[in-house]
Amino acid sequence: MNTDSELLAAIAPTSGPTREVHDPATGELVGTVPVEGAAAIDAAVATAKGAQPGWAALAHDQRSAYLLAAADAVHAAAEPLARLLSREQGKPLNGPNARFEVGACEVWLRAAATTVLEPEVLVDDGESHAELHYRPIGVVGAIGPWNWPMMISVWQIAPSLRMGNTVVIKPSEHTPLSVLALVHVINSALPDGVLIAVSGDREAGARLSGHPDIGKVMFTGSTATGKAIIRSSADTVKRLTLELGGNDAGIVLPDVDPTAIAEDLFWGAFINTGQTCAALKRLYVHEDVYDAVCAALTDYARNVPMGVGLDEQNVLGPLQNRQQYDIVASLVEDARAAGARILLGGDPDADAPGNFYPATLVADIADDNPLVQQEQFGPALPIIRYATIDEAVAMANGVDVGLGASVWSADKDAARAVAQRLQSGTVWINSHGGLNPMVPFGGAKQSGYGMEFGVEGLKAVGSPQVVSS
């Protein structure tokens, strides 16, 4: 595929009800997608179930070879995939955005293909021998989000296929074209029936999470939807991996150089225009450096270009959908009304096309303000002043989610000591949100359960079996 138009033609619906998808930056029509329901899920699951025994019968190195071929296919189609992603999701081509996301798809495919998972010898004492193996589960149901639709789909697809499962994936209703195109490209390298995408509505998602022939559900999205999936999976006791909402805290210790950390703080918070589960969403800054950190962040943020994603100079884009735009705008206005100080932004052009909300920094805000306590999932960062480490840790831990967190300090030992007190699945030191395909990732508290990436991620999409002799 040489262009995004060719990709769209390859995945265009041929019959049945359809829905238009529009560019959140311009409002222009991007393409149309099928609107499929429970019947389409049933058909896809039946096909995947039929293909699974043959796929599982292949040796690990044979399945790995297929995944490496799929990574090659993604690499070859990288530019049209990135352009389609930019048009549908809104993220710019450059910066940590569309081209970055497609590149990550290739990286995670290769990582899943080449990660070794050997049987673990549990007992070997001369009298008995026990080993722990991981077998395929069967059919995995994957339900993805709209913020990183391609990359997170690969996080679900690649390890599942590597372990001998087949996959039925339902993309978000906001970003179906990206995932349909990605699956089309990946399937050019795979046997028929092992990976099937269904562009559906809520009925399709509910059927997928409750289908009796689905052995595991992988979901990335809101905590509320995750709870609904837990309930619908109960009757068939499905395995689950849930990466749910986050409201990540960062704690800045008083020994930092504010200018030196400003760029990394900004991108920790504003990557993908703030639409990232593990983005920095609450920044706690010691009173000794509070004003200097606010000033350094403001100086950096005011020079970051925002605009239409296909314009090469932009690195911040629109909110993907108007509903999310309205949430961010409401939270900022409520903070302003409560007396918070807007350092930058907070003044969207209501007459401009697209869902553009400016990069916004909010200072002198109370910890109990909704902008701090609720996940804003957009380009608005509250900056909260603190006096003692105990106070900062208590505020950071004071929400019911715990996906990621970060500590910023010139003294890494001091930062690690604070990190060990934080209730989150990952804590970064002097950065925020960076992921590695070999480093396990998952949440604490109501940010979900189950691990992704590396050896632990492969285990999560396998069924453990102990063989004793």
Side-chain angles (χ1 to χ4, degrees), residues 71-247:
D72 291 341
V74 170
H75 179 84
E79 187 62 14
L81 284 171
R83 291 181 63 84
L84 177 57
L85 175 62
S86 180
R87 292 172 64 198
E88 179 181 50
Q89 201 281 336
K91 65 183 64 182
L93 290 170
N94 293 318
N97 292 300
R99 288 180 176 131
F100 168 86
E101 179 168 349
V102 175
C105 292
E106 179 187 349
V107 168
W108 257 264
L109 280 163
R110 296 191 190 282
T114 56
T115 299
V116 176
L117 176 57
E118 298 286 358
E120 180 183 350
V121 176
L122 305 174
V123 176
D124 189 12
D125 59 7
E127 296 182 2
S128 60
H129 184 90
E131 292 182 347
L132 176 61
H133 297 254
Y134 285 85
R135 309 298 187 195
I137 295 171
V139 182
V140 172
I143 304 173
W146 51 258
N147 57 333
W148 295 90
M150 289 183 177
M151 183 177 71
I152 292 177
S153 292
V154 167
W155 292 356
Q156 298 169 334
I157 291 167
S160 298
L161 294 178
R162 165 69 173 76
M163 292 300 291
N165 307 292
T166 53
V167 178
V168 176
I169 185 165
K170 191 200 86 68
S172 166
E173 296 161 63
H174 292 293
T175 52
L177 291 169
S178 302
V179 177
L180 293 177
L182 176 68
V183 169
H184 175 77
V185 170
I186 291 174
N187 272 337
S188 69
L190 297 180
D192 291 343
V194 303
L195 172 62
I196 304 171
V198 177
S199 174
D201 51 18
R202 291 181 181 272
E203 175 191 328
R207 179 59 176 162
L208 186 63
S209 62
H211 198 289
D213 289 332
I214 293 285
K216 180 179 178 87
V217 172
M218 302 185 75
F219 170 74
T220 296
S222 71
T223 298
T225 302
K227 290 177 179 178
I229 289 172
I230 293 169
R231 289 189 289 269
S232 66
S233 70
D235 285 346
T236 50
V237 197
K238 298 187 192 310
R239 277 65 178 156
L240 299 174
T241 294
L242 303 174
E243 196 260 88
L244 307 179
N247 192 359

Side-chain angles (χ1 to χ4, degrees), residues 284-349:
Y284 297 94
V285 181
H286 191 273
E287 59 189 8
D288 289 354
V289 290
Y290 184 86
D291 291 336
V293 167
C294 287
L297 257 177
T298 303
D299 288 344
Y300 183 85
R302 65 162 48 99
N303 296 313
V304 180
M306 172 182 283
V308 176
L310 294 183
D311 293 344
E312 296 280 350
Q313 75 275 11
N314 292 325
V315 290
L316 294 175
L319 276 301
Q320 198 286 323
N321 54 82
R322 200 66 183 184
Q323 178 182 1
Q324 198 59 43
Y325 176 100
D326 291 341
I327 289 170
V328 175
S330 176
L331 288 170
V332 172
E333 287 311 304
D334 287 349
R336 192 200 308 267
R341 179 164 53 104
I342 309 298
L343 300 174
L344 182 72
D347 55 348
D349 182 351

Side-chain angles (χ1 to χ4, degrees), residues 31-42:
T32 59
V33 292
V35 179
E36 300 178 293
I41 293 292
D42 289 345

